[in-house]
Amino acid sequence: MILCVTPDKKLNGSCCVPGDKSISHRAALIGSMADGKTVIHNFSKGADCWRTLQCLEALGVEIQQQENGKICILGRGLNGFCEPDDLLDAGNSGTTMRLLLGLLTGQDFFSIITGDPSLRRRPMGRVIDPLVKMGADIRARCDNTLPPICIRGTNNVHTVEYTLPIPSAQVKSAILLAGMNGKGQTTVIQKLPSRDHTERMLQYFGAPLTIKGNVICLQGRRPINGQLIQIPGDISSAAFIMAAAVLVPGSEVLIRDVGINPTRTGILDVLKLMGAEIDVLEQRSWNGEPVADLMIRSAQLKGAEIKDPLLPRVLDEIPVLAVAAAAAEGETVISDAAELRVKETDRLKAVASELRKMNVEIKEKPDGLIIRGGQLRGARVKSWGDHRMAMALAVAGLIADGETIIEDAGCIDISFPDFPDVMNALGAGIRAEN
Ligand code: S3P
């Protein structure tokens, strides 16, 4: 699929975005480990979360998919899963693979997890290392670092005190899910905070999890009960609409029901730092997650410095922030972002290469980018098979001179299949062609 983007059409009106991808994965995984029924509303429409559901079904979980994104999960308890009779396929989803390995550490049977070519290149040593310490027998390609991964779990999960070497929510979550079956207390220490949806969701399900400063403690082998969950809109999907509304002159957009968990709102802070006007309205809480409506108006942006400790809070938004920087006055410097090289693609390299085709002055550093703002030029660019690249480039097309064509854009299905429709309903000109 290609996306053809016609520029200069201002965006007006209101919209919603799909259910949060990170929270949807966790609701499905933790609901499956609970006793009884978990009902989830507004489950993500993206392919990644459907991979999690398919893997859980292959592990014996009964899942009923109902209308309007409503899903019912009949939990199997902490360690009542069944040995799968085929490979588990996580597709493009790093979260599915890493969190599922945590769940499988406490299941006394054998499984093999694989994924698509992009996922089979992503580093798994970071989860394999702590899970082996917790008692899982794990074998993987390339010196135990790359998928496919074979895992034999255990009914004797050891508890650990583990200091995370990188601020990764996926690693933290894998350890906590394994710790649910540990005899005693599992402790995770994080030097820099990463998204905390697993901690919030486990607490919401009644797990004995406490957080003091940067130390998370979980008591294992305490059964949890099924819950009713409403998934907030995904701020990482909203980020594309926010950036578009800020960048296209004359725009004013209201995005309803967006998750504003403070570990995820770096995009709001950075856009505001660059000069955007964003109002956070009607703040409320859904199953322990803060939610709000966001009102965004267009503004002239100026360059900014984006680095730690902010970086983990805007990790997935760097491609679209690079587009905002390309249209801002002056220079933007992004640092401490080397993790972006091991996402769905090497996002630093991909962003630099594609934005250069659009006339942007951009330099790649080992851990970031230096971007000088100016006028973008429409071009034929490609997504590198990465959903966030495809949508960031579409936003760039909205403010370029002339038409922009984004090749290999079918990957938007990973997180935001309706992206062109939602944008067009606001007034954008984005045509999807096969
Ligand atoms: C995610 C954590 C982040 C993020 C990814 C989703 C999660 O990855 O980039 O899109 O749901 O836990 P890392 O944990 O590798 O930083």
Side-chain angles (χ1 to χ4, degrees), residues 22 26 95 98 126 167-170 195 315-316 343 388:
S22 290
R26 287 152 172 85
T95 311
R98 296 192 176 117
R126 54 183 65 192
S168 163
Q170 294 176 352
R195 62 191 68 191
L315 195 62
D316 292 341
K343 292 294 175 188
R388 301 203 199 280

Side-chain angles (χ1 to χ4, degrees), residues 415-431:
S415 59
F416 197 171
D418 300 339
F419 172 72
D421 298 338
V422 173
M423 292 296 282
N424 290 339
L426 294 170
I430 304 181
R431 213 169 60 246

Side-chain angles (χ1 to χ4, degrees), residues 242 246 267-268 271-272 276-280 294-296:
M242 278 188 242
V246 170
I267 178 76
L268 299 179
L271 286 175
K272 283 183 188 166
E277 250 189 75
I278 303 175
D279 294 326
V280 178
L294 303 176
M295 171 65 98
I296 306 108

Side-chain angles (χ1 to χ4, degrees), residues 20-23 25-26 95 98-99 122 126 166-173 194-195 197-198 264 315-316 339 342-344 347 387-388:
D20 187 279
K21 190 155 85 73
S22 290
I23 303 177
H25 284 298
R26 287 152 172 85
T95 311
R98 296 192 176 117
L99 270 58
R122 296 181 64 187
R126 54 183 65 192
I166 43 168
S168 163
Q170 294 176 352
V171 178
K172 170 175 63 177
S173 303
S194 56
R195 62 191 68 191
H197 304 301
T198 302
R264 297 282 299 282
L315 195 62
D316 292 341
E339 264 297 299
V342 290
K343 292 294 175 188
E344 284 81 334
R347 285 187 174 153
H387 55 129
R388 301 203 199 280

Side-chain angles (χ1 to χ4, degrees), residues 78 159 176 179-187 207-210 216-224:
L78 293 178
T159 56
L176 292 173
M180 288 292 283
N181 275 303
K183 196 174 174 203
Q185 177 173 297
T186 293
T187 305
L209 181 142
T210 55
I216 305 160
C217 297
L218 172 71
Q219 296 299 327
R221 299 199 182 172
R222 303 279 181 84
I224 53 174

